[in-house]
Amino acid sequence: TQLLEQSPQFLSIQEGENLTVYCNSSSVFSSLQWYRQEPGEGPVLLVTVVTGGEVKKLKRLTFQFGDARKDSSLHITAAQPGDTGLYLCAGVRTGGYQKVTFGTGTKLQVIP
Amino acid sequence: DAGITQSPRHKVTETGTPVTLRCHQTENHRYMYWYRQDPGHGLRLIHYSYGVKDTDKGEVSDGYSVSRSKTEDFLLTLESATSSQTSVYFCAISGRGGEGTGELFFGEGSRLTVL
């Protein structure tokens, strides 16, 4: 059972375009993370959002946590070829240990 | 750099043979995890550890066992490898010094092919 659904699964856009990736769940999480993974490497944490409604910005990337802490979005402004990669959201539940559940991933290709 | 290494990075084996993957960390993180990554499934948790000799199952634990005899090392064993276990395996760590927010640091992955 996949608790976190990401959309779209694949995205190919031209350099300079904007895009949004969505991460949805029916479950409530104590926090939500976004990772980026490049081919042949492990995922690397980009950001953690903790509070419902929270918005965090990382240069051209804007992350938002839904008010009910069940969903999140990642918006990239003026995409660059260096943004190419697999984007993964991950929901965290606490209690005993920090259980981290990953979404299905969004593969982004930015064409120069 | 969270000081996490996996070995071997690549392995090809035959069905029915045992395989052990090793994860080594140098950062004193309390929690260690083994995930597998397959197209269309994202990252799925196999087993995790919350301390020395303390381990538990994840969502896809069948056919896998783990051991953690010291803080630094977390071993994943496939007792009798099957073709369905062909995958890329990632080790992750969190909770430096016993604390943590669930933020994971990943190794570079071990690509396993079972023929």
Side-chain angles (χ1 to χ4, degrees), chain A residues 33 35 37 42 48 97-98 100, chain B residues 31 33 35 37 100 102-104:
Chain A
Q33 304 164 349
Y35 293 79
Q37 184 179 19
T48 300
Y97 82 109
Q98 292 101 1
V100 182
Chain B
Y31 301 99
Y33 310 79
Y35 287 88
Q37 187 172 36
E103 296 174 351
L104 300 177

Side-chain angles (χ1 to χ4, degrees), chain A residues 70-92:
Chain A
K70 293 182 179 180
D71 53 82
S72 181
S73 63
L74 158 61
H75 182 78
I76 301 179
T77 303
Q80 303 293 312
D83 296 327
T84 293
L86 178 68
Y87 288 82
L88 296 158
C89 67
V92 182

